Amino acid sequence: MTRVIVFTGKGGVGKTSIAAATSLLCAKRGQRTLVVSTDVAHSLGDAFGRKLGPEPIAIGPNLEAQETDVYHILRDSWGAIQQYFASVFQWRGLDDVLAEEMTVLPGLDELASLLQIVDHHEGGRYDVIIVDAAPTGETIRLLSLPEAARFWLDRVLPMQRRATQIAGPMIRRITGMPMPDETVFRAGEDLFRKLDRMHKLLTDPYTTSLRIVLNLEKMVIAEAQRSFTYFHLFGYPTDLVICNRVLPEAAGRYFAEWREAQQRYWPTVQDAFAPVPVRQAPLLPREVLGVGSLTQLAADLYGDEDPSKVFYSGKPYRVERENGGFALSLELPFATKEDVDLLRRREELVVQVGPWRRNLILPRVLIDRPTGEARFAGGTLTIHFGEASGDESQGGGER
């Protein structure tokens, strides 16, 4: 089984260094390892002191590295979709170069990079795939896309395809506007199905783990806590939190106040993210560049342990029998009761936490059961379901 480890964190916390160091240690232990950067601002090559490209290249024994390129991915995977959109922009009067630039929609570069992880995993060439992901805000936004993609694949795309078949020729004759053909719809269908495969891969706690990298600073910790909540909301398993650049005791008088603040935040972080383990990576006395520094960082962080093992395997949500009915429990650490809003649409439970919304498809056993009381306590949302009834929630929805 290929293991997938995704490192994310607020910009500037050192996640690229941690990802690179982890990949080196995995390769040293004999695991065929790929480390890939999906961040638009690539710095993975800088960490290794090597020039990387859009395809994996060998940079050491058992180790390959890659910095994804959205244009390269588009040409190889989504050429039909890109060509269609380019033809529409050209019809609107844009020149060829600008039309091609406009086909790269905001966020498409990070999304295309994440989808390549599916190809690498299904290819079976690697024992471990390590992902240096975009900063947490962008990562959360992209990881929420499969929920929307499933809606488009099941409901919208079939209607669009049928409407184009019926009205497309007439619209083309009247307006001259290019209409998508079956090749474009098949490419779109493949894209949505690949998004669904990505979701299944990244939510499988036996295959994939997200690891949050942070610094012991108030704003960075707050960002990490929000990310931790949203990862639980969408079902992405977090197995480790890494506090990077922790000052040693010998840091000296100049850094005394900074070290004191870090030591003050350390037990707070341990308690806040429990039961997920929290580890420290020290601030090294030199810039973390090259194999030597990265090897030292990995040794300080993992010691003799296998960095690819699953450090924690808790489930973000569970369903249990309760007094003739069922209870669905969803962990939402760091959220408050005021942050949470619920809406039930028969087989869907819409959970909104702050700005993020998830459409949770209920297990079959809950679909025909009425929604009862919902409680939020201790970072856990519990929703009760009563005895089954044949006509529950057939209408629009209930809050």
Side-chain angles (χ1 to χ4, degrees):
M1 181 186 298
T2 301
R3 183 88 163 92
V4 179
I5 304 171
V6 181
F7 288 92
T8 188
K10 188 176 175 66
V13 297
K15 60 182 177 55
T16 298
S17 299
I18 297 292
T22 303
S23 69
L24 274 173
L25 185 53
C26 288
K28 184 179 179 181
R29 295 175 61 90
Q31 296 166 309
R32 297 170 301 165
T33 305
L34 170 69
V35 56
V36 53
S37 171
T38 64
D39 192 349
V40 177
H42 295 303
S43 55
L44 186 62
D46 297 331
F48 284 110
R50 294 283 302 271
K51 182 174 177 58
L52 304 179
E55 294 291 341
I57 63 170
I59 61 171
N62 298 317
L63 182 60
E64 295 183 10
Q66 175 187 10
E67 291 181 339
T68 54
D69 181 320
V70 63
Y71 292 103
H72 181 83
I73 298 169
L74 281 174
R75 284 192 300 270
D76 285 358
S77 304
W78 305 337
I81 298 175
Q82 187 185 24
Q83 288 171 14
Y84 169 68
F85 280 115
S87 69
V88 172
F89 290 133
Q90 289 166 6
W91 170 75
R92 292 295 298 167
L94 298 182
D95 63 55
D96 293 352
V97 175
L98 186 55
E100 183 174 352
E101 290 289 331
M102 290 289 288
T103 61
V104 184
L105 303 176
L108 186 60
D109 35 16
E110 295 103 329
L111 174 61
S113 301
L114 275 178
L115 287 174
Q116 269 211 319
I117 306 306
V118 179
D119 293 331
H120 289 315
H121 183 268
E122 293 175 350
R125 289 182 53 200
Y126 306 103
D127 301 312
V128 184
I129 299 171
I130 293 174
V131 183
D132 173 27
T136 45
E138 289 84 350
T139 299
I140 293 167
R141 175 170 52 83
L142 294 172
L143 292 179
S144 68
L145 279 176
E147 301 284 345
R150 191 176 297 113
F151 176 82
W152 276 84
L153 180 62
D154 294 341
R155 303 182 187 182
V156 178
L157 197 62
M159 291 188 295
Q160 287 183 329
R161 175 182 266 152
R162 184 61 178 158
T164 300
Q165 290 171 345
I166 295 172
M170 181 178 64
I171 294 173
R172 187 184 296 111
R173 281 196 303 269
I174 295 173
T175 67
M177 176 181 175
M179 299 301 296
D181 58 18
E182 188 59 26
T183 304
V184 176
F185 282 110
R186 280 200 301 269
E189 198 171 64
D190 290 343
L191 169 61
F192 291 138
R193 293 194 187 283
K194 198 170 185 180
L195 273 169
D196 196 50
R197 298 206 307 277
M198 182 188 81
H199 181 258
K200 290 176 181 176
L201 171 64
L202 297 183
T203 55
D204 181 354
Y206 301 103
T207 301
T208 302
S209 297
L210 270 66
R211 294 182 181 173
I212 298 174
V213 182
L214 58 85
N215 300 143
L216 290 172
E217 301 171 13
K218 185 174 183 179
M219 288 189 293
V220 178
I221 294 170
E223 167 101 357
Q225 289 176 323
R226 284 191 292 269
S227 304
F228 192 61
T229 299
Y230 299 141
F231 290 148
H232 274 267
L233 173 65
F234 291 107
Y236 294 102
T238 304
D239 81 328
L240 189 64
V241 176
I242 298 169
C243 298
N244 193 25
R245 299 174 183 154
V246 178
L247 288 164
E249 291 184 25
R253 292 177 56 189
Y254 182 82
F255 295 101
E257 288 189 27
W258 191 3
R259 173 174 161 73
E260 182 184 341
Q262 287 188 340
Q263 294 304 303
R264 188 168 63 250
Y265 288 132
W266 167 244
T268 303
V269 170
Q270 283 183 300
D271 293 341
F273 290 97
V276 175
V278 183
R279 294 199 171 193
Q280 293 187 7
L283 177 67
L284 297 183
R286 59 192 176 280
E287 193 173 6
V288 184
L289 292 175
V291 172
S293 297
L294 292 170
T295 300
Q296 180 62 53
L297 179 61
D300 290 336
L301 179 58
Y302 298 106
D304 295 329
E305 289 186 271
D306 178 2
S308 68
K309 78 174 188 178
V310 178
F311 287 91
Y312 176 74
S313 58
K315 295 182 178 179
Y317 76 91
R318 60 188 181 275
V319 178
E320 298 173 323
R321 288 190 176 273
E322 181 185 78
N323 300 326
F326 287 86
L328 183 149
S329 299
L330 176 67
E331 294 182 16
L332 298 174
F334 308 115
T336 65
K337 183 178 179 180
E338 291 72 24
D339 294 331
V340 181
D341 194 15
L342 299 173
L343 176 66
R344 168 79 184 274
R345 297 193 188 102
R346 198 171 186 274
E347 75 276 6
E348 289 184 325
L349 181 67
V350 182
V351 184
Q352 181 153 347
V353 182
W356 299 100
R357 172 179 291 189
R358 181 186 182 189
N359 290 51
L360 183 66
I361 305 300
L362 293 173
R364 187 178 300 275
V365 70
L366 301 181
I367 290 177
D368 293 324
R369 293 177 177 269
T371 310
E373 180 188 17
R375 296 198 316 267
F376 185 81
T380 300
L381 173 66
T382 304
I383 304 161
H384 300 273
F385 294 82
E387 294 290 339
S389 61
D391 56 3
E392 175 64 23
S393 297
Q394 297 293 325
E398 57 175 288
R399 287 190 179 273

